[in-house]
Amino acid sequence: MAEETGITVLRGVPDAAELAAVTTVLLALARRRSQPADEPPPAPSADWSVRGTGGATPAGWPARHRRGRP
């Protein structure tokens, strides 16, 4: 269902230039609305990571406790 757009004049009588300006703006908005939305750019990747290399560390949990990875 198409949206209906109306113009209400509160004071005075609009002249042809004012009506043309309002019509131009409404047409531009309608064209923009009919175009597909721009996708946001991909987020930049982090320069750091919380992941380790996967190897055991000298002060890690397995080194302090005799369970876990050897």
Side-chain angles (χ1 to χ4, degrees):
M1 183 174 193
E3 292 182 32
E4 292 186 21
T5 304
I7 301 171
T8 304
V9 178
L10 299 178
R11 287 189 216 165
V13 178
D15 61 0
E18 291 172 331
L19 289 176
V22 171
T23 303
T24 302
V25 170
L26 292 176
L27 287 173
L29 290 174
R31 283 189 196 116
R32 184 185 300 170
R33 194 177 297 158
S34 67
Q35 294 175 349
D38 294 336
E39 292 189 24
S45 60
D47 292 337
W48 54 271
S49 175
V50 293
R51 287 186 172 180
T53 60
T57 59
W61 188 85
R64 292 180 295 188
H65 302 281
R66 302 211 184 257
R67 296 183 297 194
R69 284 193 240 167

